[in-house]
Structures are given as C-alpha cells and as structure tokens.
Amino acid sequence: MNDFDVFFKENSNKVNENTVLIIVCNAKSKTHTLKDYNGFSINTEFLSDEELKEITEMAEKQRLPFRIFYDEKDFMEFLIENQQNCTNFMVYNSAQNGIGPGRKALIPSICKFFNIRYTGSDPYRVCLCRDKFAVYSLLTVANIKMPKSELFLYNNTKLNLRTDLTYIAKPIYESSSLGITSQNVFKGTLIPYVYLTDLSKKMQQPILIQQFIKGYEIEVPVLVGKKSSFVFSPVVLHKDDNALEMDSEILDYNRIYNDDYLFSSFPNCFDDTDVKSTAEKVVRLLGLNGLCRVDFRYQSSGEFYVTDVSTNPHFINHSSVNFAFRNLGLKNEDIFKTILALS
C-alpha cells in the first residue's frame, strides 16, 4: 500500500449508495454573468464546454445520481423546495458568479445552514483565503516566508517601496490572474500611481503590492483530511518547453484565460522536502480541508516564497492538480472520488 492509499484509507468518509451528488458550477456557455469587471472577465474562472464535459464524466463514474446547477440562485431555489429531502445530498461547489470578496463562500454557507455535506473548506476559510493581504499578514506572523507586501488603498496610499526591488500589483480578492497584465510589474524606483489607482477602480478593490520574486512558478496540491494530510510533489508552471524557469516573466490574465501555459515535474536537481513541508504547514495554519493548493516562487538558490493559497483549485485536465494525480498513476475519476470522500 503506497502513501496515497494509506492517506485515503485513514481519512475518507463513507459515500453510500443513497447519496445524491449536487454539482454547483459556472460554465462559460450556460451561466449568465451577474456582474463583471471592466477589461477583465470573471468567466476566465468558469468552465469551458470541454471542462464541463470532463466534470460530467467524472461524476458519471462515481455511480451516484447527480444533478448539475450552473447558477447559484437555481441551486438555492431547488434546495428551499426540497429541504425536507436533502439529508443525503453531497455538494461539490466551484461557483463564484459576480465580483468582489466572499462570492465563492456562498454555496458552502448555504450548505452549512441546511446541514448538507459539502466538499472543501468551510465558508470562513474560503473567504479568508480570497483576501491576499489577510493571508500574507497571518502567515508572516507564523514565520512563513512570503514576499514583502503592502496594501494600496485606492488613490490615498503613499507606498514605501525599496528602490532596488521589483514589485507586482495583485487585486486582493481575485484568482486566475484577474487584473494582471505586464503593466502590473514595476520597479520600486518608478511607482505607477495613476495605473494602480485606475486598476483599483476597475477591480473595485484594494491592490496588494508584493515584492516580485524571480524564479520557478510552482504549485503544490495538498489533500487535508481529519487525521492527516497528503502533499503532492510540486508542479512547475511555465510558458514553453525550452525553459521551466519563469524568471522575471508572469502568467498574465490573457495566458490564464487561454490556458496558454504548460506543466512539468519539479526538477530532480532540487530538493522538494522543505517546499512540501511548508505547504502542509500553511494549510494546517489556515485550517483548510479537502483539496487545496499552495503556490510558490522557487529560486535556483533553493530559497522559496509562498505567493498564494487556493481553497478550491481546478482539477480538470489542464491543471496542476490533475498533473499531480496523474503522476501517481491515478485517473480523473480518482480525483473526484477523493474530493468527495474528504467532504
């Protein structure tokens, strides 16, 4: 029995034959976007038709009756009408329609209210991890190494940046590189206040000004159960086959929207022990559950920095999670089975 099998046996909760699987997700061709940002669309986080097909096929192989809702409101109306018969429901949620903080915590909150089993972290942790500055503050106090960061609060902020460093500006509540272009990377000698003010207005939120770390862009998927955790080997994200190291480049909004990036295994010349132990420490400190992911910038010197945390990462074919599972010889249906079993 390998380490993954041991983890699954220790931490899986029973999914019985009476369970009804409910999938709440947003799809580009089926979901009406409630509200959007100027110049950046939230539907970069929605499932494409091909990705939706993948999710449906995974669900079919669980041999459970299931239903898919493409709109949070439709699911809530269904739940209210069927609340007397919802004891066997299990909800997988990836819906986050609308803009601003907290939108991804809506469905977990509803599930807690109706005492319905659901996958992933609780609503508080989902909201917490959508606030990049809050995560930075908490993890820094816990001595987790992170790039030095400041908060740009609209047009009334005077930033105190080092002139010898490069920085990247990130909307604090977003993922999937929403609001990120090449203009977001700048030298501390020339702070683009006009651009930052405009970006803050477009995204309707404060902006995290984070020290930019050159190096490898890596993601570490983690499974968190009640008794133990399972940390996958780091996955490298890169722009082309010629170089794994991103160095001073970024995966901006357009690349993420078009899935224009590749995945590779972490180079054998580096020891991933400390990165994996840090990822596990991060998810435990934040109190996460189920499938989550910790992102890093890793330098050739062996130094690394946590740059982001995800409570509900994508696991479709074009994702670091899927890549990590396949590296263990597991299939798509095994990913979904694991996520459900940890709920």
Side-chain angles (χ1 to χ4, degrees), residues 38 152 192-204:
N38 180 17
F152 182 81
Y193 281 108
V194 173
Y195 175 75
L196 294 175
T197 299
D198 183 57
L199 179 64
S200 184
K201 288 178 179 178
K202 280 183 178 179
M203 303 303 294
Q204 302 174 45

Side-chain angles (χ1 to χ4, degrees), residues 39 124 139 154 244 306 322:
Y124 167 72
L139 294 184
Y154 306 101
L244 296 187
V306 173
N322 196 286

Side-chain angles (χ1 to χ4, degrees), residues 114-130:
F114 285 99
N115 196 29
I116 296 173
R117 186 174 171 182
Y118 63 95
T119 63
S121 298
D122 64 59
Y124 167 72
R125 267 78 181 191
V126 172
C127 286
L128 172 64
C129 291
R130 295 290 286 196

Side-chain angles (χ1 to χ4, degrees), residues 8 12 58 76 83 115 137 147 195 205 212 307:
F8 187 84
S12 60
M58 290 185 206
M76 289 187 287
Q83 57 185 296
N115 196 29
S137 302
Y195 175 75
Q205 59 193 279
F212 183 76
T307 56

